[in-house]
Amino acid sequence: MAFTSILRKSGSSLAPLATRLVRGQRNYHRALFTAKTHSNLSHNHRISFLSPLLVPNLHYSSASKKPSSDETLLRVILSEIQCLQETDDHDRVEQIPSDFPFEIVDNPGLQTLTLKRTYQGEEIEVEVHMPDLVTGENDDDPDGDNSEKASLSSLPLVVSVSKKDGPSLEFSCISYPDEIEIDSLAAKRPEISDEEIAYKGPSFIDLDEDLQKAFKRYLNIRGIKPSTINFLHEYMINKNSKEELIWMKKLKKFVEA
């Protein structure tokens, strides 16, 4: 259209016409270049704006790659699991003695188990904790106790003997192979909550020796005796191995997630 308009102007000379034609062509090419450049910039801007949506997998794969420290940790955990599985303790089934006086309540994932029985109208419950294992000589004894007990594994117990709808006695004990020691004794009543402070009596070791021996016989009659304790030692050692293996597998699952 610009070229046709120029031809219609009959009063123009050839030279000015040629000049205007050249200038018009330059303006036309400049306009095309400007329009093309603007189009390219707009296209590039749209790509830049949409690029996070167009290539999400590249960003995701980079962010989801585990650190090398996690891979190292996982290898160590797998090695520990293999060592635990190669031992005999984690899958050993202890044969409960026929004369064992308690029902065993053992829930996987807990560090304690519970023993229950009824004896002449009394409800007896024993909370058995993980053993304190001694695997070698105890050369560093901070209390200077050079007795044989310092080198023996021990098993903490909390024994509760309750009368029906009445008071109860709670014994905190430390048991060794073939021997049970009472650390403390508390008399409890149902109308007094655990939040209230009740008189717990003197330290057990300060009681008369005859009274201490009488209470040990009291527990022995109710099933807290050396044969029971010795079985519990073996049982809890195996439970410790099982719980450690379960714990390691939970760690493995977390690191792998």
Side-chain angles (χ1 to χ4, degrees), residues 80-88 90-91 245 249:
E80 290 294 322
I81 289 175
Q82 182 178 357
C83 290
L84 289 171
Q85 289 176 334
E86 290 174 354
T87 64
D88 296 331
H90 79 279
D91 59 354
L245 180 59
K249 288 182 177 179

Side-chain angles (χ1 to χ4, degrees), residues 81-239:
I81 289 175
Q82 182 178 357
C83 290
L84 289 171
Q85 289 176 334
E86 290 174 354
T87 64
D88 296 331
D89 292 338
H90 79 279
D91 59 354
R92 181 186 301 171
V93 178
E94 288 294 333
Q95 185 66 35
I96 300 176
S98 57
D99 59 345
F100 192 75
F102 292 95
E103 172 196 358
I104 299 178
V105 181
D106 184 1
N107 296 316
L110 299 181
Q111 64 176 355
T112 62
L113 64 80
T114 303
L115 307 178
K116 294 183 177 181
R117 74 171 298 197
T118 300
Y119 176 80
Q120 295 184 357
E122 298 174 345
E123 296 298 326
I124 303 172
E125 187 171 296
V126 184
E127 186 179 79
V128 186
H129 293 254
M130 286 295 183
D132 181 11
L133 300 176
V134 177
T135 57
E137 294 183 0
N138 187 8
D139 296 329
D140 300 324
D141 186 359
D143 298 327
D145 184 3
N146 296 320
S147 65
E148 294 181 358
K149 291 180 182 177
S151 61
L152 296 177
S153 298
S154 59
L155 192 67
L157 309 171
V158 178
V159 183
S160 178
V161 182
S162 304
K163 303 287 186 180
K164 185 177 181 180
D165 299 327
S168 63
L169 294 179
E170 186 176 273
F171 300 83
S172 293
C173 307
I174 297 292
S175 63
Y176 300 92
D178 299 321
E179 186 178 356
I180 302 164
E181 288 190 352
I182 301 174
D183 273 353
S184 64
L185 168 61
K188 296 188 174 183
R189 299 188 62 85
E191 66 270 18
I192 301 178
S193 66
D194 291 338
E195 287 76 18
E196 297 179 273
I197 301 176
Y199 178 67
K200 297 183 178 181
S203 175
F204 189 82
I205 198 172
D206 293 333
L207 295 177
D208 181 79
E209 289 186 8
D210 290 337
L211 188 55
Q212 293 183 39
K213 292 178 182 179
F215 272 120
K216 288 184 178 181
R217 287 195 297 269
Y218 177 89
L219 290 181
N220 186 289
I221 292 172
R222 286 156 178 79
I224 311 301
K225 51 188 178 181
S227 60
T228 301
I229 297 304
N230 291 344
F231 167 75
L232 287 175
H233 268 269
E234 294 297 324
Y235 190 99
M236 292 303 288
I237 289 173
N238 295 340
K239 177 178 173 61

Side-chain angles (χ1 to χ4, degrees), residues 15-100:
L17 174 61
T19 301
R20 285 196 297 271
L21 284 174
V22 172
R23 185 182 298 114
Q25 289 178 353
R26 287 176 179 174
N27 292 338
Y28 176 74
H29 287 298
R30 184 180 297 110
L32 287 178
F33 177 80
T34 303
K36 185 176 180 181
T37 302
H38 178 73
S39 175
N40 290 338
L41 290 175
S42 300
H43 180 67
N44 292 337
H45 176 71
R46 288 197 298 272
I47 292 178
S48 176
F49 177 77
L50 295 175
S51 59
L53 300 177
L54 295 175
V55 287
N57 290 335
L58 295 178
H59 294 284
Y60 176 79
S61 59
S62 177
S64 62
K65 186 177 180 181
K66 289 184 177 296
S68 59
S69 59
D70 287 9
E71 296 176 355
T72 301
L73 176 60
L74 184 59
R75 286 196 299 270
V76 175
I77 292 175
L78 290 172
S79 177
E80 290 294 322
I81 289 175
Q82 182 178 357
C83 290
L84 289 171
Q85 289 176 334
E86 290 174 354
T87 64
D88 296 331
D89 292 338
H90 79 279
D91 59 354
R92 181 186 301 171
V93 178
E94 288 294 333
Q95 185 66 35
I96 300 176
S98 57
D99 59 345
F100 192 75

